[in-house]
Amino acid sequence: MMLKVLIVDDTQEKILEIRQVLKGFVKDPNDVPICGSVRDALKECSKTRYDLVILDLFIPSHSGEMPDPNNAKDFLKIIKCDDDFICPVFIIGITRKQDISEYESFFEAETLKVLWYAENEESWKAQLKNRLEFLCGVKRNIGITYEYDYDVAIINALQSPEHDIMKRTLSNNWKELNLPDDKSTTYYETEITNKKGKKVRCISCYAPQMASVASATLAAKVILRFHPQYLFMTGICAGLKGNGIGFGDVLIASHVWDGMSGKIKEESDGKGIELVFEPDYHPITLNTEMLNIANRLKDKKDLCTQIKNDFDGEKPDSALKIHVGQMTSVPAVIASDKKIQELKVHARKLIGLEMESYGIFYAAENAHHLKPKFTVSFKSASDLADKDKTDKYQAYASYTSSALMKYVVENELNFDA
């Protein structure tokens, strides 16, 4: 969990040392905004909510003026009481001056801590680091955030083969996260570099079982805890015959819906009672920006060839292709042509069946503020939903979905905002 920090200080060497301490607690210490006066700090706090303001207690009121502790005192009063400004969650005071005894009790009461700065002294740095660790823990445990934390989250239905292969495909430098308040899920994090040279922070996990309920619950936890900009699901699915889908082809859901949402009733056909399913579908649509990316990917034959060639396990003879279309999530594996035809009656352009994506989409669609910019399902066909189901191409399908996701993350997504 990264902090959003503002430094209010006009002393360059102190700013440099503070930035050194901030490493690991902010996305990039060099990007932490600096304000050299109370006026500039108030302006910054009028548009952004900060987790922490590190406030020099001897600061000018305006740029070019002499510093005075009354200015910092005024800042603390204004930021707390004036609705024109967004009060930060915490404030830490810092000063090298020893002659502020008449202000000391006020500053101690109004800030988390007053640190006594000395150049190249380690004690104040240790105190600041302790406070930063404390604030990260608070923010993590109660879910305080006003900006995205991780860039990408990837959820898989099962650990093997889907999550294991996804991890090997995306990065060789994953780190397991130990969260003391969540022992039901194992999370992993890593960083990769996109084509612009930007570090992309990734978080991943897998559900304890298949189907939408488990994945929706997991997606809700991931969104609440890690606040990803983009949410992906990779893995395997059943491709439907008649759409030119081959083993390992990647299916990108343009719409996804719950295949079992509806009503089951009895009807008589004159010979007996037949159970009839009347669907009540509520499809969730892929974000239009991502849909445009997906449609462009279909024409990248060189990319598909490269992805297939890079896989060193068992793979089919057919060329790898990318398909974009309607998919449905069902609570059980289907190997019945009759059931598939029943589903296709209500969605004639259906390209695939799987068990989790609707839950992922639903959780993201109904998340609290700062939901993912968009949610994407990349599922590759490991079978064709018929009686000849086999595990032969599960590893290949897990790989192709993950490799395409990696390409999109590295080349197509915008992480600037």
Side-chain angles (χ1 to χ4, degrees):
M1 181 71 74
M2 297 286 105
L3 297 173
K4 192 169 183 63
V5 177
L6 173 66
I7 300 174
V8 184
D9 205 306
D10 63 340
T11 307
Q12 189 61 33
E13 64 269 20
K14 184 150 35 110
I15 292 170
L16 291 174
E17 290 193 69
I18 291 172
R19 278 180 161 166
Q20 288 295 316
V21 182
L22 290 178
K23 286 182 178 179
F25 298 100
V26 298
K27 289 184 178 180
D28 186 346
N30 293 320
D31 290 339
V32 172
I34 307 296
C35 292
S37 69
V38 167
R39 181 182 182 183
D40 291 342
L42 289 173
K43 183 178 180 180
E44 189 67 30
C45 290
S46 69
K47 58 185 179 182
T48 303
R49 185 184 297 276
Y50 287 94
D51 298 312
L52 174 65
V53 170
I54 301 176
L55 173 66
D56 183 3
L57 301 185
F58 266 76
I59 192 76
S61 176
H62 295 71
S63 296
E65 295 183 355
M66 294 297 294
D68 189 305
N70 281 306
N71 298 327
K73 188 175 181 180
D74 290 342
F75 172 82
L76 292 171
K77 290 178 179 178
I78 294 170
I79 203 68
K80 185 170 69 173
C81 301
D82 193 328
D83 292 338
D84 289 337
F85 304 102
I86 307 170
C87 186
V89 180
F90 298 101
I91 298 174
I92 291 176
I94 187 167
T95 183
R96 71 170 75 203
K97 302 290 185 180
Q98 301 295 319
D99 54 347
I100 62 166
S101 55
E102 62 179 299
Y103 301 97
E104 190 170 350
S105 60
F106 175 84
F107 287 137
E108 286 283 5
E110 296 294 322
T111 64
L112 181 66
K113 175 68 177 177
V114 173
L115 303 177
W116 300 95
Y117 168 82
E119 191 171 354
N120 297 319
E121 173 62 50
E122 296 301 315
S123 60
W124 70 269
K125 295 179 183 179
Q127 292 179 56
L128 178 56
K129 185 177 180 180
N130 288 339
R131 268 68 185 178
L132 292 167
E133 290 173 346
F134 168 75
L135 297 182
C136 281
V138 170
K139 185 176 179 181
R140 180 182 299 114
N141 289 330
I142 65 177
I144 297 175
T145 189
Y146 306 98
E147 63 173 6
Y148 292 110
D149 188 6
Y150 282 78
D151 296 306
V152 172
I154 308 106
I155 293 176
N156 297 111
L158 292 173
Q159 180 179 11
S160 179
E162 295 158 297
H163 188 254
D164 290 342
I165 290 176
M166 183 282 298
K167 285 172 60 185
R168 292 199 299 269
T169 303
L170 188 63
S171 169
N172 58 7
N173 191 32
W174 290 91
K175 180 177 72 173
E176 184 176 324
L177 292 183
N178 181 24
L179 303 182
D181 60 338
D182 186 357
K183 298 300 184 183
S184 63
T185 303
T186 303
Y187 301 98
Y188 302 85
E189 67 175 353
T190 192
E191 276 190 352
I192 62 175
T193 303
N194 71 2
K195 67 177 182 180
K196 296 180 179 179
K198 177 178 174 56
K199 298 293 185 182
V200 179
R201 301 181 70 232
C202 304
I203 189 80
S204 76
C205 55
Y206 56 88
Q209 63 187 60
M210 296 187 294
S212 280
V213 172
S215 291
T217 302
L218 184 57
K221 291 204 303 182
V222 167
I223 294 168
L224 178 62
R225 173 58 68 96
F226 301 106
H227 309 287
Q229 287 196 61
Y230 303 102
L231 177 62
F232 286 87
M233 184 166 213
T234 65
I236 61 176
C237 69
L240 297 190
K241 295 177 179 178
N243 294 289
I245 296 172
F247 293 114
D249 285 2
V250 185
L251 279 57
I252 305 175
S254 61
H255 304 73
V256 63
W257 39 276
D258 182 354
M260 293 293 105
S261 175
K263 177 182 180 181
I264 299 177
K265 66 178 185 178
E266 293 181 347
E267 283 189 359
S268 174
D269 60 0
K271 298 179 181 179
I273 301 297
E274 183 180 8
L275 293 179
V276 177
F277 175 66
E278 294 183 345
D280 182 22
Y281 300 146
H282 300 277
I284 301 176
T285 304
L286 181 63
N287 171 276
T288 54
E289 180 183 342
M290 184 60 218
L291 180 59
N292 180 51
I293 294 172
N295 284 323
R296 285 193 287 104
L297 291 173
K298 291 191 300 182
D299 298 326
K300 292 185 178 292
K301 292 183 172 56
D302 289 345
L303 171 64
C304 291
T305 300
Q306 185 65 55
I307 289 174
K308 181 179 180 180
N309 289 343
D310 286 345
F311 184 73
D312 59 4
E314 187 165 11
K315 50 193 170 185
D317 294 332
S318 58
L320 177 66
K321 291 180 288 186
I322 298 168
H323 307 264
V324 181
Q326 298 181 35
M327 296 186 68
T328 183
S329 297
V330 291
V333 175
I334 294 179
S336 164
D337 289 337
K338 179 181 177 181
K339 183 61 185 175
I340 290 170
Q341 292 309 312
E342 289 177 2
L343 292 169
K344 292 185 73 172
V345 165
H346 308 286
R348 63 184 179 84
K349 295 184 178 180
L350 189 67
I351 62 171
L353 310 176
E354 51 81 71
M355 299 176 68
E356 296 84 20
S357 293
Y358 184 78
I360 299 290
F361 272 72
Y362 189 89
E365 186 82 2
N366 293 277
H368 58 82
H369 172 65
L370 212 61
K371 63 184 69 175
K373 291 179 180 178
F374 51 77
T375 302
V376 195
S377 172
F378 284 0
K379 291 288 192 86
S380 293
S382 64
D383 64 74
L384 300 178
D386 56 22
K387 58 182 175 56
D388 299 321
K389 277 179 174 288
T390 174
D391 296 341
K392 184 176 181 180
Y393 296 118
Q394 282 191 357
Y396 176 62
S398 297
Y399 167 76
T400 59
S401 67
S402 299
L404 185 62
M405 180 270 295
K406 179 180 181 180
Y407 174 85
V408 169
V409 170
E410 291 180 340
N411 296 274
E412 299 287 351
L413 300 185
N414 177 19
F415 300 102
D416 295 335

